Amino acid sequence: MDYKRAFLLVIIIAVTLVYIADISGVFAKPGLPEENTSRALAAAEIRNYQGEKLSSITDFRENSIKGPQHVNISNYRLGIGGQVSTPLNLTYDEVKGLPGYQKVVTLHCVEGWDADILWEGIKVSDLIKKAGTLPDANTVIFYAYDGYSTSLPLDYIEKNDIMLAYGMNNVTLPEDRGYPFQLVAEDKWGYKWIKWVTKIEVSNDPLYRGYWEQRGYSVRGDTGTSFFA
Ligand SMILES: Nc1nc2c(c(=O)[nH]1)N[C@H]1C(S)=C(S)[C@@H](COP(=O)(O)O)O[C@H]1N2
Ligand SMILES: [Mo]
């Protein structure tokens, strides 16, 4: 074997080893407990529901504005406030204690990928009903742990039984997918599917612009239409 070939072979072996190390998680960023990452939960997830093929929880492209967030569940509270008669501050278990629902819904990202997932969670309208809306309420603004926010019309949330999900494909939402809660904004572009939700503000401002809306994306965000405002 000549030098060139031997050199090439060494390079190929090195690249292969680095690749194997990478997919085995050797270079994985520290911080997320292994049992709560998509990779660890993927083995337990279901990929078929009532004859329908589902995407995997690992099929998402993680490109959140500040990367995956770690929410400490022991001091986590979901706030519900704004145009309501009784502002609420609920623990994770209190939210999960509301009636549960399951539905297969597709997330479409503006970047051109999508994911069919069996979502499990509660109805946002059940939360809002608990707090009681004031007469001029027409918009719901959602805030997240990473500073992200977005908004949706109140009647869209009520009429479509929009869910706040704590589970996907029969596993608990992984941290990189928005643990403890992700909004399942059916028929809206992915940027409306806010993850790591910390606060729900009932509002009378239908023109509120969240993180991507301030950067030119449509406030309506309907998947059938262009996402540019
Ligand atoms: N808090 C928060 N939620 C977020 C985002 C974000 O950056 N921060 N990104 C949104 C976008 S653009 C998409 S497409 C969906 C799914 O993104 P993922 O694949 O990173 O989970 O999450 C949405 N929710
Ligand atoms: Mo997105």
Side-chain angles (χ1 to χ4, degrees), residues 119-184:
W119 301 96
E120 183 181 5
I122 55 126
K123 284 204 281 185
V124 176
S125 59
D126 283 347
L127 278 174
I128 292 174
K129 235 179 274 159
K130 237 173 124 70
T133 55
L134 296 180
D136 59 347
N138 53 29
T139 301
V140 185
I141 306 172
F142 297 86
Y143 300 89
Y145 196 75
D146 57 350
Y148 194 89
S149 70
T150 192
S151 65
L152 289 161
L154 177 60
D155 66 344
Y156 155 84
I157 284 172
E158 291 173 340
K159 284 183 189 140
N160 299 288
D161 294 330
I162 294 308
M163 285 166 63
L164 190 64
Y166 46 75
M168 54 199 293
N169 291 358
N170 278 1
V171 296
T172 300
L173 223 66
E175 290 200 318
D176 43 357
R177 296 277 67 74
Y179 178 80
F181 300 114
Q182 176 172 33
L183 190 71
V184 180

Side-chain angles (χ1 to χ4, degrees), residues 59-67 69 107-111 113 143-149 176-178 182 189-197 211-212 217:
D59 285 345
F60 289 74
R61 281 186 216 165
E62 170 44 58
N63 44 22
S64 306
I65 55 164
K66 288 185 184 158
Q69 301 292 303
L107 181 152
H108 303 270
C109 176
V110 299
E111 291 182 322
W113 56 270
Y143 300 89
Y145 196 75
D146 57 350
Y148 194 89
S149 70
D176 43 357
R177 296 277 67 74
Q182 176 172 33
W189 288 110
Y191 63 88
K192 294 285 184 183
W193 294 54
I194 184 168
K195 302 191 285 187
W196 308 294
V197 179
Y211 183 88
W212 284 117
Y217 285 10

Side-chain angles (χ1 to χ4, degrees), residues 11-12 18 45 76 101 150 154 157-158 163 170 213 218:
I11 296 285
I12 289 168
V18 168
E45 72 170 333
Y76 171 85
Y101 298 87
T150 192
L154 177 60
I157 284 172
E158 291 173 340
M163 285 166 63
N170 278 1
E213 292 90 336
S218 150

